[in-house]
Structure formats: structure tokens, C-alpha cells
Amino acid sequence: TTAPYQETFRPQFHFTPKENWMNDPNGLVYHNGEYHMFYQYNPYGDKWGHMSWGHAISKDLVHWEEQKVAIPEDEEYMIFSGSAVVDHHNTSGFGTKDNPPMVAIYTGHKQEPEKGQDQQLAYSLDNGRTWTKYAGNPVLDEGMENFRDPKVIWHEESEQWIMVVALSTDYKIAFYSSPNLKDWTFLSHFESPGSELGIWECPDLFALPIDGDEDKRKWVLEVDLGAGEEGSVAGGSGGLYFVGEFDGKQFIPDEDAMPESESGPHQWVDYGKDFYAAVSWSDVPEEDGRRIWVGWMNNWQYAQELPTSPWRSSQSIPRTLELASHDGGLKMVQEPVDELQTLRGEQKSLSNLTVTNDTRSLADWNIQGKALEMKVTFTPGNAEVVGLNLRTGNDEKTVLRYDVSEETLALDRTQSGQVDFHADFPGVHVAPLPLDNGQVELHVFIDWSSVEVFAHDGVVAISDKIFPQPDSEGVEVFVEGGSATFDRIEAWPLKSIW
Ligand code: FRU
């Protein structure tokens, strides 16, 4: 039915379960023409609890079909975050070479009053439709309380499975290897003084091409910061990453690739407050070659209070990842997958609009909407501030503001609608963004309750939830302290995926 998707805040092109609580994406894996997305799910309510793996399938990364719960909790364990792979050579013996098993590697979290986390397996022989927990679980138990979120990859060079897993409260990542997904050998630890800003969760490890050259690659180790004193760049939950080498045993950060940054030895994944626990798809076919991920659009500070029902939380749009040369180092750039262009309705555009100390509505060009994609290029000229007001109406606006002297881009959601359900929700989230040839270039995705901004081909991303009234649909441009020119604005209403 389409009825539930008429709800005030129901995203139209972001995945949400039909009802109940969702957090991290889990077990992202491509198999036989289908993208699988599992996720932390409470089948019984709209707050965190009874953690199990929910499941959705897509053929195009755009339209999703929710499935029944894939891996439910049981009396002994909740099913925490983890990954999934296609075991093409049937190293695990769960399937056959003709029908290679899909294997999920997740954290078993002992049910109260027991304590402890270990790593476990479940497998599917029917394209992910049904799952069997391995009778020999757990496959990796170090007797620890905080030992979670295994990401498993096949390491081509050393022909073995590698697990990257978080020792959350020790602020460490551990690496293990295995020939068969069942027997694991400890390899090394990774830690990074200066990056202990929140407990470490949901790591990912992958090699990315540099500046589009498939023959030049470096490894990226991504780590998420959960609850903690300082938290991520915008406060609370968020991700950081390191660029370096992985030799099949350990991850060695490359200092030349990561120029000194104010934040510490790491780089930030996203400058907004709602992009957490992102993980990438396994087994995307080689001829495609993209590294694609999604993140959870939420923040543990207020996650359980979001003003939505009977569902709570959405995932981000899928984004591709690459490394690009910037400021003498390498930055991970994120861009929305091209498949999203299939949702575009009729394009509206305008060119060379000069604005002097003024705010102009784009309604004159028929640019408005609450599910809208925009590409905007402007030249600040002698202006001090140039920006866009999104989802305007009812005295509400979500402000995207470029400060020319500071060279920063900020997303301000203090007046974006419902903001006072939690003290940590309203705020201004700021990213450094030097002008590019004297211009600023933005790619913006607006949905019924979120904004995702990609600047300068994805070198900066800012992702935030917002809760404006349904008829706050306007878009304005504004300029302060001088004249600026909007060289080009393109906008597309986006169709619902439901
Ligand atoms: C991250 C996280 C993971 C854990 C899961 C539990 O959001 O805390 O570390 O596996 O959520 O739902």
C-alpha cells in the first residue's frame, strides 16, 4: 500500500521500514542482481530494543522492498551490527560451489543479565530470503564486553578473509584473518591518539581509486564515533576516516595523504549531524567497480525522540566513494549514485541571476518542493554571505549559508520546523569549503524530513534531518554584504520510490 508514505515526515526517496525502530545499515551485499540491505531493527517497537536484522532488497539502489526479519534475536543473544559476503569459493562449506552461500558475520550481544559481545555467523542458500544461524556460534569470542560490528572483506592479495572489528571502549580497531569465515586469527590493532572523541563503532575498510585512476589506489579505514564527551564534528554520532595502506596484516596511515587538519589525525566523513554507521556494499560486480555506501540518518543524542511514527529513522541515499587530491593530500569524496536520476521529474533552471543584498524566491522559476534535487553554482563576487533557504514557509526555513571570508558552508536547522523535541537537535553545522575557481558548487537532495548537501563534487557532505510543516515548500536564494551571481541553478522534483 502507498498510504503510510503520505505521513507528514515520511521520506519519499530514502529507505524507512514500514513501522518500528531502525538503526545502522548492516550486511550490505550484492548478489545475483540484487542489492541487499539489512539493518538494526526492533520488530516490536519504535525505540531501540530486541535488536534483529531487518531486510530490504533493491534491484537499482533506488526502489526498496521490505522483507521479513532476516535474523531475529533469540533467548541468548540480540543480533547487533555486522556485514555480509558472498562466499564464492564456498570456503565456509555452508553451500556448494554452484550455489555459493551468502554469509552474515554479526555481533552476538548477550541478553541481560549476561554481558558480553562475540562474533557469529548465519548463512542463506536462497538469495538472502531465509537465514540459518550457524550451530558452531560464536566463531570469535575474546571474552570482551565491547567487541562489535565486524566488517569482513575478501583480501585478494593474501587470499583470505579479513575482519575489521571495533574494541569500542578501548578506542581500537582489531584485524583478524580467516580461510573459512569460521576460524579467526588475530593480526593487529589500530589506534589513533587524538581520535578518541567517542566510542568506536562500525568500522569499514576498502581500497579506493585516486583521482579516477583504477591503477592507483589507497586504503581507507572508516570508524564511527558513538556516545562520548565530544563526539563527531557536529556533536554526537558521526564518522571519521584515515587514508593509508593495508598489507593483509595491518593498516598503516599515510601521513602524506592526510595533511594536518584542525580536527586531529583523521578526516571527517560528513559535517552534518545525521550520517552515522555508514558501511559499504560487498561484492559489487567488478565491471561496475563502484564502492557504494549508505549511512543511518540519525544521531544517538536524540535518535529515540525523532517526532515520527509508526516508524523511526531512515537511511541516507546511496553514495559512491572515491579519493581525490585536495590541499596536498587525499580526501574521500562522496557523490549520490547516478541511479537516483531516474526519479527526476521535469527540470527547471535559471542562469546568471545577480542578487544584491536581497532574498529572492525561486517560485518565479517554478522551483520549489519538498522532494527536490538541486544543482547550484554561484560566484560570490564582492558579497560577504551567499546562500539558499530551503523548505521555506510557515516562518520556517533550513538555511544553507556560504561565508566568503571564513570560506565555510553551514547548514542551519535552528528554524527548520520542529526542533525542540531534544536540546541537541537545533544547531548550525559548519564545513570548511575554499572557493573553487572563485565559485561554489552545490548538489542538494531535499526530502520530506532531510537535507543532504554535496559540495565541490562531494569533497564536503552535510547531512541533516529536518521536520518542517508539509507545506513549507519554498526555495529562496539570498546575498548579504554585496552582489553575487547565481551562475546556474537546476532543480528537479523527485518522484516517490514507493
Ligand atoms: C551503532 C551501534 C553498534 C551496535 C548497534 C546496536 O549505532 O551502537 O555499535 O552494533 O548500534 O544496535
Side-chain angles (χ1 to χ4, degrees):
T1 68
T2 55
Y5 298 99
Q6 302 305 317
E7 293 157 19
T8 314
F9 296 127
R10 199 65 182 264
Q12 299 297 294
F13 58 93
H14 289 82
F15 178 77
T16 53
K18 290 197 180 70
E19 54 181 8
N20 294 327
W21 166 269
M22 171 176 77
N23 55 290
D24 317 352
N26 293 156
L28 304 182
V29 60
Y30 178 91
H31 189 41
N32 286 340
E34 296 175 326
Y35 293 92
H36 293 265
M37 177 165 66
F38 302 88
Y39 43 86
Q40 287 290 283
Y41 187 58
N42 179 358
Y44 307 107
D46 62 6
K47 299 225 164 164
W48 188 89
H50 299 285
M51 298 322 294
S52 301
W53 276 26
H55 186 195
I57 297 179
S58 176
K59 287 195 160 52
D60 61 2
L61 287 169
V62 177
H63 299 86
W64 295 95
E65 279 198 29
E66 192 172 338
Q67 311 289 311
K68 61 184 191 332
V69 168
I71 312 178
E73 68 165 349
D74 56 37
E75 274 176 17
E76 248 187 302
Y77 289 102
M78 286 203 270
I79 313 300
F80 271 24
S81 287
S83 49
V85 295
V86 181
D87 182 9
H88 290 287
H89 305 295
N90 193 31
T91 61
S92 62
F94 291 139
T96 59
K97 284 227 167 96
D98 293 338
N99 184 25
M102 294 171 79
V103 182
I105 308 97
Y106 59 85
T107 296
H109 175 89
K110 290 211 172 105
Q111 299 277 15
E112 302 284 336
E114 301 292 317
K115 279 198 175 7
Q117 297 183 337
D118 54 38
Q119 315 319 325
Q120 310 199 359
L121 306 179
Y123 59 91
S124 170
L125 301 176
D126 57 0
N127 294 315
R129 281 3 183 232
T130 61
W131 290 80
T132 306
K133 289 176 187 161
Y134 172 46
N137 281 337
V139 293
L140 178 57
D141 183 0
E142 303 278 33
M144 283 191 272
E145 236 178 79
N146 289 285
F147 178 48
R148 61 178 176 269
D149 310 336
K151 170 75 182 197
V152 172
I153 62 169
W154 176 254
H155 188 246
E156 212 48 71
E157 294 77 3
S158 60
E159 298 197 312
Q160 58 185 345
W161 299 104
I162 297 291
M163 180 195 291
V164 194
V165 58
L167 279 55
S168 305
T169 47
D170 298 330
Y171 310 101
K172 278 186 193 156
I173 298 300
F175 294 85
Y176 291 82
S177 68
S178 173
N180 57 11
L181 297 167
K182 293 171 171 165
D183 303 301
W184 292 94
T185 306
F186 173 76
L187 296 172
S188 63
H189 280 142
F190 172 82
E191 50 197 321
S192 173
S195 304
E196 309 97 334
L197 303 163
I199 60 166
W200 284 20
E201 300 183 316
C202 302
D204 202 349
L205 177 72
F206 38 77
L208 293 179
I210 299 173
D211 296 326
D213 183 349
E214 295 290 335
D215 297 329
K216 281 207 307 217
R217 287 173 175 263
K218 287 228 181 252
W219 287 82
V220 171
L221 176 64
E222 195 269 347
V223 177
D224 290 278
L225 303 173
E229 298 270 296
E230 306 201 34
S232 187
V233 58
S237 321
L240 48 77
Y241 68 91
F242 307 89
V243 180
E245 301 294 346
F246 179 71
D247 61 3
K249 292 200 176 77
Q250 52 178 332
F251 179 82
I252 302 142
D254 178 341
E255 273 155 32
D256 295 336
M258 294 198 300
E260 280 290 308
S261 85
E262 282 170 31
S263 58
H266 50 261
Q267 307 277 344
W268 297 114
V269 165
D270 191 296
Y271 288 84
K273 238 176 141 157
D274 296 304
F275 189 75
Y276 192 62
V279 277
S280 65
W281 259 277
S282 182
D283 293 280
V284 172
E286 235 166 76
E287 59 274 20
D288 178 322
R290 289 178 298 175
R291 179 60 51 178
I292 308 164
W293 74 356
V294 293
W296 178 45
M297 286 204 82
N298 213 334
N299 191 307
W300 279 114
Q301 286 180 335
Y302 45 72
Q304 319 222 39
E305 315 299 330
L306 296 192
T308 67
S309 95
W311 54 283
R312 189 168 276 129
S313 292
S314 63
Q315 307 298 9
S316 72
I317 49 174
R319 308 164 177 194
T320 57
L321 300 173
E322 287 190 15
L323 288 170
S325 302
H326 262 276
D327 302 338
L330 294 173
K331 288 248 170 97
M332 185 164 71
V333 295
Q334 303 184 61
E335 293 194 274
V337 295
D338 289 344
E339 285 90 334
L340 288 163
Q341 292 171 18
T342 60
L343 298 177
R344 288 176 177 176
E346 196 192 332
Q347 181 185 308
K348 311 281 190 251
S349 62
L350 63 97
S351 299
N352 300 321
L353 172 70
T354 296
V355 178
T356 307
N357 285 323
D358 200 6
T359 299
R360 288 283 303 266
S361 165
L362 297 185
D364 293 350
W365 291 271
N366 280 318
I367 295 175
Q368 58 190 18
K370 51 184 178 161
L372 190 69
E373 176 185 354
M374 294 185 75
K375 283 192 169 181
V376 179
T377 306
F378 59 79
T379 305
N382 65 4
E384 285 164 14
V385 171
V386 185
L388 291 158
N389 295 324
L390 310 171
R391 299 294 309 265
T392 65
N394 302 294
D395 287 330
E396 298 170 343
K397 56 181 173 181
T398 301
V399 185
L400 200 50
R401 200 183 155 87
Y402 188 74
D403 184 313
V404 180
S405 61
E406 298 285 327
E407 297 193 292
T408 55
L409 179 70
L411 188 55
D412 177 347
R413 65 175 176 189
T414 55
Q415 304 166 76
S416 62
Q418 282 190 50
V419 297
D420 48 14
F421 55 88
H422 193 286
D424 290 321
F425 187 81
V428 184
H429 308 142
V430 185
L433 188 72
L435 290 175
D436 187 1
N437 284 322
Q439 290 183 315
V440 173
E441 218 186 281
L442 306 174
H443 195 179
V444 184
F445 284 79
I446 302 162
D447 202 345
W448 286 17
S449 56
S450 64
V451 178
E452 284 154 287
V453 182
F454 304 90
H456 295 180
D457 297 323
V459 69
V460 156
I462 311 181
S463 307
D464 275 331
K465 299 292 292 184
I466 50 167
F467 300 100
Q469 293 187 44
D471 59 343
S472 296
E473 294 194 284
V475 180
E476 298 167 348
V477 295
F478 65 89
V479 177
E480 295 167 13
S483 286
T485 300
F486 292 87
D487 305 285
R488 180 84 182 149
I489 299 180
E490 294 172 345
W492 300 264
L494 294 180
K495 292 177 206 127
S496 172
I497 63 173
W498 307 109

